[in-house]
Amino acid sequence: MALNYHVGQLVVVRDDEEQNWHCARIYQTSPVLVKLRPRSSPSKYKFMKPLEALTEHEAKNVLALEQQLRNGMDLGPDPPPMGLTAEEQTAYPSIAAKANSSFLTVILLIGTLSPVILNNLWLMTANVVNEGDGHQHFWWYTLVFDNYFMIVKGLMFSAFFYAFLPEPAKGHRKWLYWLLAIMWPLFSFLIHMLWLAVNTVGSDDAWGLMKLNFPVGASAAVFAWMPLCLYGQYSREERFFATKRFVVIIVILVADLIFISSSHLVLLLFKAFGDGEFGAPDPLVRAIVELAFLLGFMQVYLPLLGKVWQIGLLLFDTLAPMKDLQRQRMLYFATVILDMHRYMYVREMMYATDSVTVVICMVFKDFVYDVYNFGMCSSPALQSAWLMGVPTWKLFLGASEVRVASSRIYETCIFVVKLLSDFLELPRCLTRVFTWTIDCGYPKHTSSKSFCFAETEVKLVNVPSDFGAEFKEWAYKTAKDRQQNRFILQSEDAHSSFDTVIARDAVEKSNGEWRKVWEGFRDPGLFSFYQFMTVQLSGIIFCRYRARIIIKIASSIMLLTTGTLIRLTPSKDVLNRVHDHSQPRELMQWIVPAAMLFFDVLELVLVQCLQDGDAATMGYKMKRFARLFNDPIFLGMVMSCHVCCNSDLYITFANLKFRP
C-alpha cells in the first residue's frame, strides 16, 4: 500500500538494498522527490520509508550517520538544525547569515537615521517656494510637501497589505500593490483640487479642510482598491478568507487612525495648558498637573490603544488565522505602532514643558522601567527562579536557597529596580496586550504560569507542578534523548516550530555558564529543562526591545535637531502653528532631548550587556530577529513606518495660509 507523505517529512532513502539508509526530507509529493541536504538538488530513490518505521537499532545508526554528515564541510559552519521543514531549511542559510551584530547595527542605524534625515529634509523644504507674509505656495504644498507624506504612507500600507493578506495560490500580483501605493497620493491630489474648485483654499476654513485630506484620501484609496485586490488575485475559494482578513485589517487601521487624531488633541490640550490658556497656576501645581497628564497618557490612554491591537489579534486568530511567522511579524509591527504612540506624543509633551522636575521624573522612570523589563528580566537564572515559584522579595531577603546571581548585592538591586519599575504602574492585567505561548512539554502533573514583561505576557503551559525526583528523572531522560536526536522519532515533535527547533539547537551548543550561580542548576537534566525555556523567553524579550530602542533613539535625535534645522530655512515662516520657529530655541528645548538621547544610549548599552550570553543563546536571539526581517518587503514596510510615523513626532503643523 502506497504511503502518503507530506512536504518536509523526515524519511530514510536508498537506491539499493545493500546500501545504508540516509536521512532526507520530502521536497515534493507528486512525484515524490526528496532532498538529502538543504542545498542539494531534489532526487528520487527506489526505496523510501518514514524514519519512525525503522527499528530503534536502525534509527540509532541512521541518526549517528546523519550527525556526522551534518558536521561535515558540505553543510558549512552553521548547518540547519534537524527538525526544520523543507521551507525553513531553504530559508535558514539566509537567516543564519544575518544573525550577527552587524545586521542588528544596520537595522538600528536605518531605523533611527532614515526618519531623521528624510523628515528633516521634508520639513526644511516646506516653504522653498516662498509666497511671503507667512503664506505658502499652494501648488508646492499640494504636489511636494503634502504628497511626500502620502507617498510614504502609501508605500507603507501597500507593503502592509502585501505582508499580511493571505498569499494567493498563484502568488501575490505585485502590480496591484504598486497601484495602491500610487492611489494614496493621487486621491489626496484630487481632494486638493476639490478644495481649489470650491474656492476654500484661501479661506479661514482651509486648515481644517486640508487636514481631512489624509483620512479621506487614504480611506477612498483603500476601499477603491479592495475589489481589485480581492477579485484580481484570489480564486473564488480563497476570496472569503481573504475578505475576512481584509476586514480585520481595516478595523485595526481605522481604530489606530482615531487614536492618532485623539493623540493630537491630547497633545494640543497639554500645550494649551502649558501656554497658560487655562490660567497661570503656581509652578509646583503646574508641574504636578503636567506629571499627572503624562502618566495618565501612558497608563490609561496607551493601554486603551493596546487593547485595540489585542482585540485585532484575537479577531485574526478567530476569523482569519495567520501562519506562525506572519503572526510574529504582525506582533512586531503592533509593538512598533504602540511604541511610536508612546514616544512620539509623550516626548513631545515633555519637550513642551518648562519643568525640569517633570522631565527628570519621566526620563528616569522610563530608563529604569526598560532596564528592568528588557535587561534584568532577560536573566535565565532569574527566569528559572520565577519558574520555580520563587518571588523576588525572597531573593532580596536571602530567604530562598535559589540563587540568580553570584552576588547578593546584584540580587538586591534586582528587587530595588523592580520596585522602581512598577512604581505608578497599573496592574499587568490591565496593560497586557501581546501574548506568547511556550510549551514546557512536561507530560504528567502540570500547571500553567505567566511570565510578564512590559505589556507582554508569555504563557508557559505544561509546567511541572512539582520539581521533585519524578521531574528530575524525566528531565534527565529528555536531555539524553535530545542529545541523541531521538526526539525526531516522536510524532508530536515532527512539526515543531522554527523557534522550538533552533532553541533546542542552542541548548545543545550552549556552554551554560549561568548554571554556576546556584548548586541546584548543576543537575544536567534539570538545567537542560530550564535552559530550553529561558532561551525562548529571552528571545521574545530580545526582539521586543529592538523595536523600542530604535524608536526611542530616533525620537531623541529628531527633537534635538528639527527645531534648529527649521529655523535655518524659510520653513520657519510657515511651520508655526504649534511651535514658534520665529524665535530662538530656549535652553530647555536643548536640555530635554539631549537628556533623552544620553539616557537612551546608556540604556541600550546597559540592556545589551544584561541580555548578553554565550554564543549559542545569542545566536538563537539573533536568528529569531533575523527571521523577521528576512523578507525585504517586511523590512521596507517597517522602515517606512518609522519614517512616516516619526514625521508626526515634532508636531509642525503648517499654518496653511494660501493666497486667494
Side-chain angles (χ1 to χ4, degrees), residues 513-533:
E513 279 293 318
W514 59 273
R515 74 172 67 191
K516 298 178 181 178
V517 302
W518 178 49
E519 189 68 28
F521 291 140
R522 297 184 186 274
D523 182 282
L526 186 67
F527 180 75
S528 178
F529 171 79
Y530 290 133
Q531 194 173 28
F532 181 58
M533 296 301 106

Side-chain angles (χ1 to χ4, degrees), residues 3 119 180 292 321-322 337 363 376 385 459-460 495 547 630:
L3 294 174
N119 290 333
L180 176 61
M322 296 179 175
I337 295 297
V363 171
M376 290 180 169
K459 291 184 177 179
L460 295 100
H495 303 290
N630 199 40

Side-chain angles (χ1 to χ4, degrees), residues 12 63 78 105 130 159 168 217 246 288 298 347 426 479 561 602:
V12 289
L63 291 172
D78 189 5
T105 303
N130 195 336
F246 199 104
I288 293 173
M298 295 175 68
R347 291 194 164 190
L426 292 177
T561 59
L602 178 62

